Amino acid sequence: MDRQLFSPGSADKILELILTALRDLVDYELAVIMKLTEADTLTVQKAQGPLVSERITNYSVDLNRRRDLARIIRFDQPYLFNETEGHEDTYEELLDMPDDHSCLVAPLYIQETPIGLLTLDHRACNMFSPAIVKFIGTIARLIAVIIAQNESSQYLDTLRRDLTRERNILLSREAPQLKNIMGKSPAWSRVIDQVKIVAESDLPVLIHGETGTGKEMVARTIHTLSPRSDKPFITLNCSALNAGLAESELFGHEKGAFTSAVAQRKGRFEIADGGTLFLDEIADLPMEIQPKLLRTLQEGTFERVGGEVTHSCNVRIIAASHMDLKERVQHGEFREDLYYRLGVYPLELPPLRRRKEDILLLTKHFIHQEALKTRTHPPEISEEAVTGLQNHPWPGNVRELQNAISRGVLLAKGGMIECHHLGLYHSMPTTVPALTADDRTMAKPNTPFPSMATLEKKHIEDALIRTHGKIYGENGAAALLEMKPTTLQSRIKKLNIDRKILLNRPN
């Protein structure tokens, strides 16, 4: 069953379904549900039928002027206007109806409280029998319950968001909800403040930062601090996904949709319904799938691969990339409309080299984590190692630091963690020395200079050669390069690195 039908604010969809089904039983040309928005004003909430117009959907009725309708509402009974009865038509200002047309109205009540009015009209006379009048009285009670439940749900949803916002404001830096994105540097404090602000909303968030800066941790924290925290947090890494696989992963597939589809499978949107979907490395999403993703974000609907049924979903989207999406848009590699849809709230994560004040704090945290895993006493770290940590440029950012600490704790074997345990050197400079006059004289402007892609390809090839082509695992190239294995696979594909040819290349 479509769970979005029972989410806050879904009353319009349910009312539309009821009025559509009602037309199979009752021949009307205009069905209108109006709510009492004030003590003496009826406002159209939903209208259905061939006579519907934009003027009707924005229509309201002043009950101080329409005393006949006010009287009918007070008596809480469906009322069928007699064709010979002189009365002002409900929509006289908007529709030119025959004098003997059929008009039926039914008050909407919750217990003894009026909340609105249901009206049915047809240009022909004698369209509504006494049995239909009685039936409409029952339908009116059902519609009243739906409207009341929706208003109660909206109130509770608003209250929950208000409480979430107030709680987030009061959270200290040491709060357990923020333990995975700890930091006290000014650059990182600004990130935490933004996380606390955006968490209580449903706005899409686009996180940008270098590899290893903690994009997924930030996304999880936004989910944890949101009103959706009791619902699923589902992730999908868009790297190395071709168009067919990406569509199936996002939207699911029906049995037999393609050769290997031996059973029906739910996609990430369906699994994340009510919660948060984190799309990592969104820049790598194939262009063919981007229009389908955009449509789902705009309309909240999708179809499984090989299916014809349209499903609804209520999902908050958080996307992330280490690439500059705006630049990819300019190069025609990413849809501009999707970029603006995803980037409603952009969030920039600073690299670790710009938040050096947090290095020691994170080091102690990771040492404590390793001690908990091994159930041992947290080891001490030497001053030389601390200096080495502070001087290292950390191209792999927080993930590289965490891996270095894990390695250091292991190699220290319960003793003092030294610089060599971390694979660092105390004398490592934090900046590249400036060129001397002689250096500048020797530098020839016409000398070919390698591109970043060339250097990156060479670096990855060296890592693959050292690990004998292994990517995953403790001794794999991904661990050596301080990268996610899926990200490394994506870079290997983009840089056209053939591991078989590479490993068979003569020394």
Side-chain angles (χ1 to χ4, degrees):
M1 185 173 289
D2 196 340
R3 282 166 39 184
Q4 194 182 16
L5 289 177
F6 304 98
S7 62
S10 61
D12 278 357
K13 178 172 283 192
I14 300 176
L15 295 177
E16 181 180 336
L17 291 173
I18 290 175
L19 293 183
T20 300
L22 180 61
R23 195 152 186 246
D24 293 335
L25 304 172
V26 179
D27 187 9
Y28 65 77
E29 290 183 317
L30 178 64
V32 178
I33 298 170
M34 292 190 282
K35 276 176 56 180
L36 270 171
T37 52
E38 298 176 14
D40 53 6
T41 303
L42 286 169
T43 302
V44 172
Q45 178 171 355
K46 179 60 66 177
Q48 198 100 333
L51 297 181
V52 170
S53 67
E54 186 176 348
R55 295 181 67 194
I56 286 178
T57 57
N58 297 318
Y59 189 60
S60 61
V61 176
D62 183 358
L63 293 178
N64 291 321
R65 191 178 66 81
R66 291 299 306 273
R67 299 287 185 181
D68 55 335
L69 294 180
R71 185 175 62 255
I72 292 171
I73 290 174
R74 281 199 303 271
F75 282 103
D76 186 20
Q77 290 294 325
Y79 186 83
L80 177 63
F81 286 97
N82 192 295
E83 62 188 60
T84 61
E85 179 182 351
H87 76 282
E88 181 182 351
D89 186 58
T90 310
Y91 310 105
E92 187 170 7
E93 303 171 15
L94 310 178
L95 297 172
D96 185 17
M97 302 286 277
D99 291 339
D100 59 349
H101 77 280
S102 302
C103 180
L104 171 61
V105 297
L108 305 177
Y109 265 74
I110 289 294
Q111 295 180 343
E112 298 180 358
T113 304
I115 64 169
L117 186 71
L118 168 66
T119 72
L120 298 176
D121 288 272
H122 199 291
R123 285 172 292 191
C125 62
N126 297 324
M127 293 300 297
F128 305 133
S129 66
I132 288 177
V133 174
K134 184 177 180 181
F135 174 65
I136 291 301
T138 302
I139 293 296
R141 287 193 288 273
L142 173 63
I143 290 173
V145 169
I146 291 170
I147 292 174
Q149 285 183 336
N150 181 69
E151 290 182 346
S152 175
S153 179
Q154 286 181 327
Y155 170 75
L156 291 174
D157 187 57
T158 301
L159 180 61
R160 185 168 64 249
R161 290 185 183 280
D162 289 343
L163 290 173
T164 298
R165 181 169 54 252
E166 294 298 323
R167 181 206 61 185
N168 290 351
I169 290 172
L170 295 174
L171 283 177
S172 68
R173 293 282 188 271
E174 292 75 27
Q177 295 91 334
L178 301 174
K179 65 181 180 180
N180 290 324
I181 58 168
M182 61 171 53
K184 295 182 178 180
S185 64
W188 197 249
S189 294
R190 286 191 291 272
V191 170
I192 293 176
D193 290 340
Q194 291 181 77
V195 166
K196 290 161 67 175
I197 290 170
V198 76
E200 59 93 12
S201 76
D202 274 339
L203 293 178
V205 179
L206 180 58
I207 304 173
H208 177 258
E210 296 178 7
T211 299
T213 48
K215 295 185 287 292
E216 182 172 340
M217 286 299 184
V218 168
R220 285 185 180 276
T221 303
I222 291 173
H223 174 75
T224 300
L225 298 181
S226 76
R228 298 173 178 263
S229 58
D230 59 335
K231 298 295 191 296
F233 178 85
I234 303 299
T235 67
L236 176 65
N237 192 308
C238 301
S239 295
L241 291 180
N242 60 38
L245 183 56
E247 185 176 12
S248 177
E249 289 291 335
L250 285 169
F251 309 118
H253 61 253
E254 298 291 349
K255 182 179 179 180
F258 43 85
T259 305
S260 58
V262 295
Q264 184 192 82
R265 184 172 182 268
K266 291 182 179 181
R268 296 299 205 278
F269 271 101
E270 206 167 346
I271 298 171
D273 192 24
T276 302
L277 176 58
F278 176 58
L279 301 177
D280 198 7
E281 300 301 347
I282 188 68
D284 291 331
L285 188 70
M287 285 289 288
E288 304 95 303
I289 300 302
Q290 292 180 24
K292 297 182 180 181
L293 175 60
L294 178 64
R295 176 215 165 189
T296 301
L297 298 182
Q298 290 175 332
E299 301 177 10
T301 60
F302 65 92
E303 292 83 32
R304 296 187 189 127
V305 178
E308 298 179 352
V309 177
T310 298
H311 300 268
S312 297
C313 60
N314 174 18
V315 174
R316 198 250 181 98
I317 294 292
I318 302 177
S321 177
H322 73 279
M323 301 183 191
D324 187 341
L325 276 189
K326 201 166 187 177
E327 185 176 312
R328 289 181 71 82
V329 168
Q330 293 170 351
H331 292 160
E333 298 171 330
F334 200 85
R335 287 181 65 103
E336 185 176 22
D337 46 7
L338 179 58
Y339 166 70
Y340 286 114
R341 187 74 186 184
L342 292 170
V344 176
Y345 195 98
L347 189 57
E348 185 75 26
L349 303 190
L352 188 56
R353 62 183 174 275
R354 293 183 187 165
R355 44 181 295 218
K356 285 186 173 291
E357 304 94 319
D358 295 329
I359 290 176
L360 189 55
L361 177 68
L362 291 169
T363 296
K364 291 179 179 179
H365 172 68
F366 293 141
I367 289 175
H368 184 69
Q369 277 190 332
E370 290 299 317
L372 287 176
K373 288 179 187 177
T374 57
R375 296 182 181 180
T376 58
H377 184 74
E380 297 293 328
I381 184 166
S382 71
E383 291 186 11
E384 182 186 17
V386 170
T387 304
L389 290 169
Q390 294 285 359
N391 287 341
H392 189 64
W394 299 113
N397 294 290
V398 178
R399 186 183 299 123
E400 182 186 358
L401 172 62
Q402 184 176 11
N403 290 342
I405 297 302
S406 299
R407 181 169 58 245
V409 171
L410 176 66
L411 296 178
K413 299 179 180 179
M416 180 79 71
I417 299 176
E418 300 292 350
C419 210
H420 65 274
H421 292 144
L422 304 170
L424 307 175
Y425 297 95
H426 170 68
S427 59
M428 182 178 290
T430 57
T431 58
V432 177
L435 290 175
T436 65
D438 291 338
D439 292 331
R440 285 192 290 269
T441 302
M442 292 173 63
K444 297 179 181 179
N446 294 326
T447 301
F449 196 79
S451 67
M452 283 299 295
T454 302
L455 293 174
E456 182 185 12
K457 183 175 182 179
K458 177 67 169 59
H459 196 53
I460 291 175
E461 287 178 344
D462 289 345
L464 289 170
I465 290 171
R466 181 176 295 189
T467 59
H468 306 289
K470 181 180 178 183
I471 292 177
Y472 287 81
E474 183 179 348
N475 299 317
L480 184 64
L481 294 168
E482 311 287 356
M483 297 174 70
K484 287 184 179 179
T486 51
T487 302
L488 177 56
Q489 284 184 315
S490 174
R491 301 311 301 159
I492 290 172
K493 180 179 178 183
K494 285 187 178 296
L495 295 169
N496 294 318
I497 298 173
D498 190 316
R499 281 190 284 168
K500 289 184 180 179
I501 295 177
L502 179 67
L503 296 176
N504 290 326
R505 183 187 301 170
N507 295 330

